[in-house]
Amino acid sequence: MVHYNLKRITVVPTGKDFVDIVLSRTQRQTPTVIHKSYAINRIRQFYMRKVKYTQATFDEKLGTIIDEFPQLDDIHPFYGDLMNVLYDRDHYKLALGQLRTAKRLVEKICKDYVKLLKYGDSLYRCKQLKKAALGRMCTLMKRVGPSLAYLEQVRQHMARLPSIDPNTRTILICGYPNVGKSSFINKITRADVDVQPYAFTTKSLFVGHTDYKYLRWQVIDTPGILDHPLEDRNTIEMLSITALAHIRAAVLFFVDVSGSCGYSIAQQAALFNSIRPLFDNKPLLVVCSKIDLQSLESLPEEDRQLIMEMKKEASNTLTEEGVINVKNTACEKLLQHRVEGKMKSKKLEDVRNRIHVAMPRPRDTRERPPVIPAGVLEARAAAPPRAPRRLEKDLENENGGAGVYSANLRRRYILADESWKEDVVPEIADGHNIADFIDTDILKRLDELDREEHQRQEGESEEEDMDDDEFRKLSPEEQEALAAIRLARRNIREEHRLKKTTADSRPMVPRKHDKDKRFTVSRMERHLSNLGIDPSAAAARARSKSRGRKRDRSLGYDEEDGADAMDGFKDSAQKQQALALGKKAMKKRNKFARKGEADRTIVNLRPKHLFAGKRSTGKTDRR
């Protein structure tokens, strides 16, 4: 496929902007500090560097413009003639030629002034030579300003042109204005061409794409053509003539049989005969449009005779109705034409010379037909004739072909109800609907589980009552053994329940040093009593903190009860330190990485000694 980057051409600046861009870049990329006390060789090199850099920048910019714009002699003839119609070939070539000349003159100016700078004997003289060189270059660029402005207009217009491939499979629509060409392309493609009830609504080429036999086809809508000499045609009509002359396509010539377009059938036949040479070596179809307003049979004899003559010129191809039929017929004729062209070309012989088909050599003259068992032949004869199986390909051809027909993938779903196949909301998986996996008796089963749980709890309570009666009849030793057994069973049941519950659902906080609950208040009382200390106050405080209500714990400190004045701390300093550590532990992390009090601070971001004054010769990449 031929691709031209007409939409990616670099913007062409005006003459004044061109000069500003180049001089600004020279000022930024070259040293700016020079003194008359420097050696004369250093001064010469300083100014020669500026002149050479300016010339190199002009050369780069102009070379980019010249290379990116297409050369009319190197591109496809269709694009060459199209640009000639739209932009005038001579004016286009002249503008590019002026840029080439300007590029060459800039190089000559640079070479001459560099030669003069080699003999400069002072800073003043070298500076004046540099100023003269850059001034002549800028004057030269300002003189080609009109050419730069013209090329910018051409670039903007080319960026709006449609992407047309002259070598691909193409259907070209032509005819008088307002005969139904744009309506046809809107029907068979996704193009959105404006349709109005007056002539010359379409003023440029419009491109759409369609599918036929799994191939992509290009459809081009051309502006209307009037029947007058070629030199009298305007730019809009010449677009159609250019497309007909250079694009290898199936041509659809539209004829309005109703006459609502404002032109008689005789005028349309005259136009057909005048542009007939442009149809040579192309498949041609004559399409009769607007037959819903007037049928072909109701036309006068003279008009019908003219249409039949056009039909003979179009290889007996005349289409009256059916938009899809017109498209399919045109595509078939073009495919056949392209195949015939390839068969006649020399490439076919080259391919045949490289292909060798090996055929097995017979070993004798005896015939060996295929052997089919008699039982199989009898079964085939006895079986009733089967109707031919209709494939998706047959359905596709009957319903508009590729790109129009959409296969129904749900047609072979195996479901309990056929009406489920076209459901939108339920997803289909493995031939079943979501409804097939829903248990309709779920509420009934939940009620049964609730009743079963209730009965189990009642049975346990009855067993406990029976156990209490039997427990009283036992001896003390037996009662103690039974209590130990019940405690062990209860512990096992609780451990099993803890294992089943998840960590998130446990309301308890694990204790690090008392997993077995050995450190109790009773043990503390015994230990303090053995040491000779009264444990009543400590035990009362522990029980009040562990069993008291939250609202009671949050009461303010009573100064009369001075026992807990420091809340377990040795002194106020230790309490303040603990509070500070707790506050620091609860401080949120700096997730957004914002500037904090401990970060390094730069007071002056642009110190004057680094950003003031002229730069000297040497490295210039510090900024």
Side-chain angles (χ1 to χ4, degrees):
M1 183 176 178
V2 181
H3 287 284
Y4 299 109
N5 292 329
L6 301 180
K7 302 180 186 300
R8 300 182 181 179
I9 300 177
T10 307
V11 177
V12 181
T14 61
K16 185 177 181 303
D17 293 342
F18 210 114
V19 172
D20 293 342
I21 291 170
V22 174
L23 294 184
S24 175
R25 185 173 178 182
T26 303
Q27 180 73 6
R28 287 184 285 106
Q29 299 295 332
T30 57
T32 57
V33 177
I34 191 69
H35 297 289
K36 60 182 179 180
S37 59
Y38 288 170
I40 189 64
N41 287 335
R42 184 175 179 182
I43 296 173
R44 291 170 184 167
Q45 291 294 330
F46 177 85
Y47 286 110
M48 281 194 292
R49 180 176 178 182
K50 285 187 174 293
V51 174
K52 289 180 179 179
Y53 190 87
T54 304
Q55 181 269 328
T57 307
F58 274 121
D59 186 87
E60 177 190 349
K61 298 287 185 183
L62 292 173
T64 302
I65 296 173
I66 294 171
D67 293 339
E68 288 187 351
F69 273 88
Q71 306 299 318
L72 297 184
D73 298 333
D74 299 337
I75 61 177
H76 193 276
F78 166 70
Y79 277 103
D81 284 359
L82 185 65
M83 296 181 68
N84 181 30
V85 170
L86 294 173
Y87 317 124
D88 187 3
R89 178 192 299 265
D90 296 334
H91 195 177
Y92 180 80
K93 284 189 172 183
L94 186 62
L96 289 179
Q98 287 181 351
L99 293 189
R100 291 193 188 92
T101 304
K103 178 182 176 185
R104 187 172 64 254
L105 290 177
V106 167
E107 293 177 0
K108 186 176 182 299
I109 292 171
C110 175
K111 188 181 298 184
D112 294 343
Y113 277 88
V114 167
K115 189 180 297 184
L116 292 175
L117 279 168
K118 290 181 180 179
Y119 299 99
D121 55 357
S122 65
L123 184 146
Y124 176 76
R125 187 161 297 178
C126 292
K127 182 177 180 180
Q128 294 303 318
L129 289 172
K130 185 266 297 183
K131 187 184 295 185
L134 267 60
R136 287 187 61 185
M137 293 179 188
C138 296
T139 302
L140 187 62
M141 292 308 303
K142 289 180 181 178
R143 286 180 181 175
V144 297
S147 298
L148 293 172
Y150 165 75
L151 290 176
E152 173 61 16
Q153 294 294 326
V154 171
R155 183 199 68 82
Q156 293 178 5
H157 193 275
M158 284 195 300
R160 295 192 293 268
L161 290 177
S163 298
I164 299 175
D165 184 4
N167 299 319
T168 190
R169 296 167 293 273
T170 307
I171 298 175
L172 193 63
I173 308 171
C174 64
Y176 258 95
N178 200 24
V179 295
K181 303 185 297 299
S182 299
S183 300
F184 180 79
I185 191 175
N186 288 343
K187 287 291 184 182
I188 66 173
T189 68
R190 293 185 178 180
D192 187 14
V193 184
D194 189 21
V195 178
Q196 297 295 340
Y198 50 81
F200 287 107
T201 308
T202 304
K203 298 182 180 180
S204 63
L205 299 177
F206 284 89
V207 180
H209 294 85
T210 185
D211 291 331
Y212 179 72
K213 288 190 174 180
Y214 303 102
L215 298 174
R216 178 56 58 92
W217 295 73
Q218 181 178 252
V219 184
I220 302 178
D221 179 22
T222 61
I225 311 173
L226 299 179
D227 183 22
H228 45 229
L230 184 64
E231 57 272 10
D232 295 339
R233 301 187 192 277
N234 57 21
T235 302
I236 297 176
E237 294 176 278
M238 288 304 298
L239 294 176
S240 303
I241 299 298
T242 304
L244 286 170
H246 293 290
I247 296 179
R248 297 182 297 174
V251 180
L252 303 182
F253 186 83
F254 273 66
V255 178
D256 183 5
V257 296
S258 67
S260 61
C261 63
Y263 304 97
S264 64
I265 295 180
Q267 291 175 315
Q268 299 180 56
L271 173 64
F272 179 85
N273 294 325
S274 65
I275 63 175
R276 181 68 184 84
L278 299 175
F279 302 152
D280 291 342
N281 298 323
K282 296 185 182 74
L284 176 61
L285 280 79
V286 178
V287 182
C288 296
S289 62
K290 303 183 183 179
I291 60 172
D292 54 339
L293 301 179
Q294 185 173 4
S295 63
L296 195 62
E297 291 76 13
S298 62
L299 291 175
E301 184 64 27
E302 298 82 3
D303 294 343
R304 197 181 308 121
Q305 186 64 28
L306 291 173
I307 292 177
M308 291 303 163
E309 290 178 0
M310 287 190 287
K311 174 185 175 183
K312 293 178 182 178
E313 294 289 339
S315 303
N316 294 324
T317 304
L318 178 66
T319 306
E320 301 179 23
E321 57 185 357
V323 174
I324 300 300
N325 294 335
V326 173
K327 185 194 80 168
N328 294 345
T329 305
C331 294
E332 284 292 342
K333 288 180 68 68
L334 182 59
L335 282 179
Q336 183 180 358
H337 178 76
R338 289 168 68 94
V339 171
E340 291 175 357
K342 291 179 180 179
M343 294 293 291
K344 294 177 183 179
S345 65
K346 296 181 180 180
K347 293 182 179 179
L348 184 62
E349 296 297 330
D350 297 338
V351 174
R352 285 177 178 175
N353 293 335
R354 295 197 298 266
I355 295 177
H356 173 69
V357 181
M359 298 295 293
R361 183 179 300 174
R363 60 184 178 182
D364 52 27
T365 59
R366 183 179 177 183
E367 295 184 0
R368 294 177 175 84
V371 178
I372 302 177
V376 175
L377 295 175
E378 294 175 358
R380 287 182 181 177
R386 293 189 302 175
R389 182 182 176 187
R390 300 187 66 192
L391 305 177
E392 287 292 334
K393 186 70 175 178
D394 302 330
L395 296 176
E396 178 182 338
N397 295 332
E398 293 175 2
N399 293 278
V404 178
Y405 173 73
S406 179
N408 186 7
L409 302 180
R410 303 184 180 186
R411 185 158 51 91
R412 301 188 183 278
Y413 282 172
I414 303 174
L415 302 175
D417 190 351
E418 291 293 327
S419 62
W420 294 349
K421 291 182 179 180
E422 303 301 329
D423 288 350
V424 178
V425 176
E427 296 291 337
I428 305 244
D430 299 331
H432 293 282
N433 242 325
I434 289 180
D436 298 334
F437 302 97
I438 296 177
D439 189 0
T440 56
D441 300 333
I442 184 77
L443 298 178
K444 185 188 298 183
R445 297 186 183 183
L446 288 175
D447 294 338
E448 293 178 357
L449 287 175
D450 291 340
R451 287 196 298 270
E452 183 179 350
E453 181 67 17
H454 184 65
Q455 293 175 1
R456 187 180 64 81
Q457 292 177 356
E458 291 179 352
E460 289 181 356
S461 60
E462 292 177 358
E463 289 180 0
E464 289 179 359
D465 296 339
M466 293 173 61
D467 291 343
D468 291 340
D469 297 337
E470 295 178 357
F471 185 76
R472 296 188 186 92
K473 299 178 182 179
L474 299 177
S475 61
E477 294 81 6
E478 292 175 344
Q479 291 180 0
E480 185 177 355
L482 182 59
I485 293 172
R486 287 181 175 176
L487 179 61
R489 286 180 59 190
R490 191 181 302 112
N491 292 337
I492 293 172
R493 192 181 299 115
E494 291 296 331
E495 288 179 3
H496 181 64
R497 289 177 179 173
L498 285 176
K499 289 180 181 179
K500 289 178 65 177
T501 56
T502 59
D504 295 337
S505 62
R506 295 183 184 180
M508 58 178 290
V509 178
R511 295 181 180 272
K512 184 176 180 181
H513 301 292
D514 192 15
K515 295 182 180 180
D516 299 333
K517 298 183 180 179
R518 293 181 290 110
F519 300 96
T520 60
V521 178
S522 301
R523 180 177 177 180
M524 182 186 69
E525 289 179 345
R526 291 195 301 271
H527 181 68
L528 292 177
S529 300
N530 295 333
L531 295 176
I533 301 173
D534 184 13
S536 58
R541 181 172 178 273
R543 287 193 176 95
S544 65
K545 291 294 181 183
S546 60
R547 300 179 184 177
R549 295 165 57 192
K550 290 184 179 180
R551 186 173 296 175
D552 296 339
R553 297 180 197 172
S554 63
L555 295 176
Y557 170 69
D558 189 1
E559 293 183 357
E560 295 179 358
D561 300 333
D564 297 335
M566 301 309 300
D567 293 333
F569 296 105
K570 181 175 63 175
D571 51 13
S572 60
Q574 188 181 24
K575 182 176 180 180
Q576 292 295 332
Q577 184 180 5
L579 293 175
L581 290 175
K583 183 178 180 181
K584 185 177 180 181
M586 291 187 294
K587 187 177 181 180
K588 294 182 178 180
R589 294 178 59 191
N590 187 11
K591 294 183 179 180
F592 298 102
R594 292 177 177 172
K595 184 177 178 181
E597 58 186 8
D599 293 328
R600 179 186 175 195
T601 303
I602 300 176
V603 179
N604 188 4
L605 298 177
R606 295 174 62 86
K608 187 173 182 179
H609 71 282
L610 291 178
F611 292 91
K614 293 285 188 177
R615 283 176 291 162
S616 61
T617 56
K619 293 185 177 179
T620 59
D621 57 350
R622 175 168 55 81
R623 294 191 201 176

